[in-house]
Amino acid sequence: MTQGSNKVYRKGLPFSAEVAPLLAAMPLLEEYREPLLRLQGAWDSLALLGQMSGAATDMADTRTAFEALTGRLLDSLARRQLRHAVGHLQGRSQVAIDILVRNLFERTADVGFLASDGPLRALLQADATGDIDAGEVDALRRRFAAYVAKYSVYDQVVLLAADGRRLAALDESSCAPVVDDPRLQEAFEPGRAFVEVHGPTALLGGRGGLIYAAAVSGGERTDAGGARGLLCLSFKLEDEMLGLFRALCAGVPRSVLVLKDAQGRVLLTSDPWQIPLGAPLAEAGEAQGWRLDFAGRDYLACESTASGYEGYFGPGWRAQMLQPLQHAFADAPPERQGDRARDLDTRELFDEELRSIPVEARRIQRELSRSLWNGKLKSRAHAQPGAAAEQGGGNAFAVTLLNEVERTGDQLRQVFERAIAQLEDGALDAVFDGAGFRAELAISIVNRNLYERANDCRWWALDARLQRALADGDAALAGTVLESIHALYTVYSLLLVFDNAGRVVAVSDATQSHHVGRTLQGDWVSGALGLRDAGQYVVSAHAPCGLYGEDGHAPCLVYAAGVPHPDGAAMAGGIAIVFDGAPQFRAMLGAALPDHAGAAALLVTRAGEVVASSDARWSPGDRLPMPLPTLAALPADQHATGELEFDGRVHAYGLAMSGGYREYRRLTPPDATDLAALVVLPLGERLAAGTSAGAGAMPGAFTPTSPTGARTVDVASFLVDHQWLGLPAMQVVAALERQRITAWPTAPAAVRGMLGFEGRMLPVLDLGQLLFHRPCGDEAALMVCQTGAGQRLVLAVQQLGQVFVAGAEQLQPSPTRPGWAAQAQVHLLKGHGPQMLTLLDSDDLWRLVNGVVEAQAPALTVD
């Protein structure tokens, strides 16, 4: 192994240093490396034999070019496989930590809200005076149960005295009578809103957990003096993360997702048999997609730190995803069925290197075709009647050799085309997979977020201060409570409470006090006032309600619940929370967007209304601007991928329908208001018919297995406007390398200009323009033909075909083409199947070009 210029040579081929250690784990690379190297080796033998054919120099040049391209192709294939595998792991590890941090942000607000609850402070005050009794403790325990019934993410709620004594607990059997934990005591520090504690704790009987704690004051205000205590909430971290891990590991064989602490120790793992709890994992380097050795097994591993949410970055944990190296580059997934077309201009999608490989391969193929053409033409010219017998034998050998070269070149071309197609398919697969995955991520974030909204309104409805304020009509107290809650939960535009007549009593934002006294209208208002169960809530349609936006008429979601009367006899009114959807949904969609130019994400209803968009082209309330037939019928919790065409471009899309989260909107029947996330990624413009690919090499259908007649004709074939044409090989002098054509400004469109050949300037005739009024383009091949009288001209054609022998019995007269002279000798050559080739004649072409010149530019002549 040698190294230089950031390349590492393995088995004689150069690879980038980042992929060289991983090559043994890439079966797809071996699939192409072996046939390419085998075919490369065939050139060595052919080059020796080529000394006898006159094509040795051309073959050597072709071999060198193919060898260089082989190295580029295999290196590009290896790096793209690595990039695709790393993208799978990196995206999922980032999702894992970011979703967790979003979730934990809500916990920081919950503990702050519940720490201000009146019954907690009352129990602390009673404990300070020695007046506490079992009835008050039982009442508070039932209150904890009522809160947890609405927030199933908690498994323990405990109120501690300042000295650590347990005053009340949701589950007393698992909480020690005294909890002496200095980490929890840090919540009493001035200015400390909460503390996060992870690890074994007496709150849970010694088992590990994630605890959020906040100080509680026994006074009327949380900052008042007097008795103090601690409210502790235990979050179901393992329950939340293992479900998330299962979803993220799906589709990535044998993968493991772990949550690591700041020291790199595993806190949670999706597969303890591969990566156990407590295991120390290596730190990530600056570059992602690195190799990790753990317990004697090689992994591809990617690590992510939290992106942060609302300025909160969590406890400093990281997520790491690992996949055994032997599975990281497994065979590509099965070919997709009908979710994408191949007639796309994907130049913007693939990097310059990938785009240049097929261009270079076509250039080599053109040069090889030209070399073979010239060699076969030379050999067939020597083999004409009258040549010496020994020379004829040598020419027969040369033709055989050139046919073998052609076969080897064609095999190389096929391997290159297959590999390039694999590269393009892999890149497209990554785009479609990314669109589907990102759509699932977006709707998952939305589901979790709206779960919190549905729970918030019911939590706050239990606040004793709000219940008393509504019962007494105390607008000032209600406003103060709402304002304190709103300071903790920053995702809302407005909080408000209303009485049983639907009249607004108080709001959380003094700048919107004009709503006070207003009578609310809408189904969600009557629905909230009709609730008789504190565990229920209602949500509005995503529509204007007069409470959101600068003019109050922007569409929004409002969650509402009934506020029980303090005596429990009936409802005292309701609470409504106006979700600040415009920036919040936009942030959720933005968090789900991949790093893909032109990518956009939308949140839409099943009925096709835009709820939110990351792109200014679509606004809330708009109708979905592109047809999406899968939207209405897509089942809950399912996703689909496919193609959309709009704005003149084809886009890959991923669509994921909401299925709820935990107990929120699970197993609900389909409804027009169901939400779905749509992610669209631009692929490129649709190609015009016939421009997606070249026609390939000349098929063998025109070569008879054994001519039935004595007469044969050598045919030099070529492609023009995707139709096969040909000339008798004796009329073709040579195929030319790309040369500069001298412009002929006053010449007709079919005459490209003049080209120097063997000391003479020859006209260049574009056969595509002449015969079909469609020019052959800049990549046209050039060939020199000669009339019976010795006049020469250069033909520009789309692509060279084969030089082959046909039986005279295959020829049949062709109807005269429009614009051809009546005496034109045009024949059709019938192959073994339905394919036909039009055999032209150079004398007719010469007369035709002179006729065009005389008709359009009488002052010009062609010599």
Side-chain angles (χ1 to χ4, degrees):
M1 182 181 74
T2 60
Q3 187 167 353
S5 302
N6 293 323
K7 292 291 184 180
V8 177
Y9 281 82
R10 293 290 174 88
K11 296 187 178 180
L13 291 172
F15 290 94
S16 301
E18 61 180 327
V19 298
L22 308 174
L23 299 179
M26 296 181 174
L28 184 63
L29 196 71
E30 197 68 13
E31 177 183 333
Y32 291 111
R33 190 185 68 84
E34 285 297 330
L36 283 169
L37 291 182
R38 186 172 61 251
L39 291 169
Q40 290 283 338
W43 286 102
D44 293 331
S45 300
L46 293 172
L48 292 175
L49 297 173
Q51 299 295 329
M52 304 174 62
S53 71
T57 301
D58 290 330
M59 287 171 53
D61 291 343
T62 303
R63 185 195 189 286
T64 301
F66 269 130
E67 185 176 22
L69 192 59
T70 294
R72 286 178 53 198
L73 177 70
L74 294 177
D75 186 50
S76 182
L77 182 60
R79 286 187 290 106
R80 187 163 291 276
Q81 280 195 280
L82 175 60
R83 190 182 314 162
H84 187 64
V86 166
H88 266 69
L89 304 185
Q90 187 66 51
R92 284 162 171 77
S93 65
Q94 192 67 59
V95 167
I97 191 63
D98 283 348
I99 284 185
L100 174 63
V101 166
R102 282 174 171 268
N103 200 323
L104 298 186
F105 170 77
E106 301 286 349
R107 312 291 69 86
T108 67
D110 286 349
V111 74
F113 162 73
L114 201 53
S116 64
D117 196 34
L120 274 72
R121 298 198 304 272
L123 191 65
L124 279 176
Q125 193 64 40
D127 178 65
T129 60
D131 295 334
I132 192 171
D133 61 40
E136 291 177 301
V137 173
D138 288 342
L140 191 56
R141 187 182 304 117
R142 289 193 298 272
R143 190 166 182 79
F144 288 163
Y147 277 117
V148 171
K150 298 167 183 60
Y151 258 128
S152 62
V153 298
Y154 298 114
D155 58 4
Q156 178 69 297
V157 185
V158 178
L159 177 64
L160 300 175
D163 57 8
R165 288 177 297 111
R166 183 192 71 210
L167 300 181
L170 175 67
D171 181 5
E172 289 189 346
S173 64
S174 64
C175 181
V178 177
V179 178
D180 184 13
D181 191 333
R183 298 173 299 174
L184 296 176
Q185 294 292 319
E186 293 176 6
F188 289 124
E189 295 176 359
R192 192 73 176 263
F194 64 91
V195 293
E196 293 170 306
V197 173
H198 180 263
T201 174
L203 293 166
L204 301 174
R207 68 179 175 88
L210 178 60
I211 307 298
Y212 284 82
V216 184
S217 170
E220 284 299 314
R221 291 166 42 214
T222 57
D223 60 349
R228 294 189 306 167
L230 281 176
L231 173 70
C232 303
L233 298 179
S234 173
F235 174 61
K236 294 179 182 178
L237 177 65
E238 184 173 354
D239 179 64
E240 168 67 14
M241 293 308 294
L242 293 185
L244 182 60
F245 283 173
R246 282 193 298 271
L248 292 174
C249 288
V252 187
R254 309 294 195 278
S255 59
V256 188
L257 250 175
V258 301
L259 188 66
K260 298 165 51 176
D261 64 17
Q263 288 72 45
R265 293 188 301 269
V266 175
L267 301 176
L268 287 173
T269 173
S270 66
D271 187 347
W273 295 104
Q274 286 198 68
I275 310 292
L277 290 173
L281 287 182
E283 298 293 320
E286 292 183 3
Q288 293 296 337
W290 46 287
R291 187 175 177 176
L292 183 146
D293 176 36
F294 179 79
R297 191 176 194 184
D298 282 335
Y299 289 88
L300 194 69
C302 291
E303 182 177 287
S304 299
T305 57
S307 301
Y309 180 63
E310 298 283 326
Y312 170 75
F313 289 85
W317 296 342
R318 291 162 289 168
Q320 189 171 30
M321 192 167 189
L322 307 94
Q323 188 177 20
L325 207 56
Q326 67 192 94
H327 299 289
F329 309 105
D331 292 340
E335 190 69 22
R336 298 179 180 277
Q337 300 297 320
D339 67 349
R340 71 165 184 260
R342 294 184 176 272
D343 55 345
L344 301 177
D345 182 356
T346 54
R347 287 176 296 179
E348 297 181 15
L349 183 61
F350 305 123
D351 56 47
E352 178 62 32
E353 180 184 44
L354 179 58
R355 295 200 307 269
S356 70
I357 289 176
V359 173
E360 179 67 10
R362 286 194 295 269
R363 185 194 67 78
I364 298 173
Q365 291 164 26
R366 284 196 304 269
E367 292 305 308
L368 180 60
S369 296
R370 183 190 61 78
S371 173
L372 294 174
W373 248 62
N374 290 334
K376 287 185 177 183
L377 289 172
K378 178 180 176 182
S379 298
R380 293 185 185 279
H382 290 167
Q384 295 301 316
E390 61 273 14
Q391 187 181 14
N395 289 324
F397 170 76
V399 171
T400 301
L401 173 63
L402 291 172
N403 285 336
E404 184 63 23
V405 172
E406 184 173 38
R407 188 182 71 83
T408 303
D410 189 57
Q411 289 177 322
L412 274 168
R413 175 187 59 80
Q414 291 176 16
V415 175
F416 270 90
E417 288 179 353
R418 192 165 66 248
I420 291 166
Q422 183 97 34
L423 281 172
E424 293 179 341
D425 283 349
L428 281 173
D429 282 341
V431 174
F432 279 87
D433 288 344
F437 173 67
R438 295 291 174 166
E440 289 187 281
L441 168 60
I443 202 63
S444 176
I445 293 174
V446 169
N447 284 336
R448 283 170 161 81
N449 199 292
L450 297 185
Y451 164 81
E452 304 286 347
R453 311 292 70 88
N455 291 336
D456 284 349
C457 65
R458 295 180 294 161
W459 262 53
W460 303 337
L462 296 179
D463 190 286
R465 298 166 298 171
L466 281 180
Q467 294 175 1
R468 176 55 58 191
L470 268 182
D472 297 343
D474 190 341
L477 176 58
T480 299
V481 174
L482 291 177
E483 183 179 354
S484 66
I485 294 174
H486 201 173
L488 295 169
Y489 296 82
T490 57
V491 298
Y492 295 106
S493 171
L494 185 67
L495 314 180
L496 54 91
V497 289
F498 51 94
D499 61 21
N500 283 321
R503 185 179 63 86
V504 176
V505 175
V507 297
S508 63
D509 184 352
T511 65
Q512 299 191 53
S513 59
H514 55 278
H515 292 300
V516 175
R518 168 187 169 186
T519 299
L520 300 171
Q521 304 292 329
D523 292 342
W524 64 269
V525 182
S526 56
L529 291 174
L531 296 176
R532 293 295 178 265
D533 183 349
Q536 295 179 319
Y537 71 95
V538 296
V539 58
S540 72
H542 187 258
C545 65
L547 295 171
Y548 189 61
E550 291 185 3
D551 58 359
H553 296 295
C556 65
L557 288 177
V558 180
Y559 286 80
V563 177
H565 196 281
D567 62 14
M571 292 292 177
I575 182 171
I577 56 180
V578 181
F579 184 52
D580 196 7
Q584 293 298 324
F585 281 137
R586 190 163 54 246
M588 293 181 223
L589 295 175
L593 274 182
D595 183 16
H596 185 110
L602 297 89
L603 189 63
V604 299
T605 66
R606 191 183 288 275
E609 177 201 337
V610 175
V611 173
S613 170
S614 68
D615 194 301
R617 288 177 292 178
W618 304 292
S619 300
D622 291 347
R623 300 295 300 175
L624 195 62
M626 70 286 288
L628 198 61
T630 54
L631 177 60
L634 189 64
D637 245 350
Q638 298 297 309
H639 80 280
T641 60
E643 289 182 1
L644 286 174
E645 193 165 354
F646 60 91
D647 290 346
R649 296 167 67 84
V650 179
H651 296 71
Y653 78 81
L655 179 70
M657 184 62 64
S658 171
Y661 171 68
R662 290 185 175 268
E663 64 276 11
Y664 171 71
R665 292 185 63 82
R666 300 296 291 181
L667 305 177
T668 56
D671 185 82
T673 62
D674 291 342
L675 293 177
L678 174 66
V679 173
V680 291
L681 309 176
L683 296 176
E685 297 180 357
R686 186 80 68 187
L687 291 174
T691 61
S692 59
M698 183 71 174
F702 295 105
T703 306
T705 54
S706 56
T708 58
R711 291 197 315 114
T712 61
V713 58
D714 289 350
V715 177
S717 64
F718 46 86
L719 198 68
V720 176
D721 196 39
H722 303 281
Q723 300 185 46
W724 284 110
L725 308 177
L727 283 170
M730 61 182 298
Q731 298 180 2
V732 181
V733 178
L736 303 179
E737 296 181 11
R738 293 184 61 111
Q739 297 187 27
R740 180 178 177 273
I741 298 174
T742 303
W744 190 354
T746 56
V751 179
R752 288 194 169 195
M754 304 291 286
L755 186 149
F757 179 74
E758 295 183 349
R760 297 174 59 186
M761 295 298 290
L762 305 181
V764 181
L765 180 65
D766 189 321
L767 277 190
Q769 179 66 41
L770 180 70
L771 301 181
F772 308 109
H773 305 291
R774 286 186 289 272
C776 288
D778 295 336
E779 297 294 321
L782 301 176
M783 49 184 281
V784 181
C785 67
Q786 181 171 284
T787 70
Q791 296 103 338
R792 290 181 174 184
L793 71 157
V794 180
L795 303 180
V797 300
Q798 181 181 346
Q799 180 181 324
L800 298 176
Q802 293 178 344
V803 179
F804 60 94
V805 181
E809 73 278 1
Q810 291 179 273
L811 295 174
Q812 54 185 283
S814 171
T816 302
R817 290 178 177 274
W820 285 76
Q823 68 272 29
Q825 303 176 45
V826 180
H827 293 84
L828 292 179
L829 180 61
K830 187 178 186 306
H832 297 310
Q835 202 157 7
M836 304 292 288
L837 175 144
T838 302
L839 186 64
L840 308 178
D841 183 83
S842 60
D843 288 319
D844 295 331
L845 291 173
W846 183 262
R847 285 191 293 270
L848 186 60
V849 70
N850 273 285
V852 170
V853 170
E854 290 176 2
Q856 298 187 25
L860 301 174
T861 59
V862 177
D863 297 328

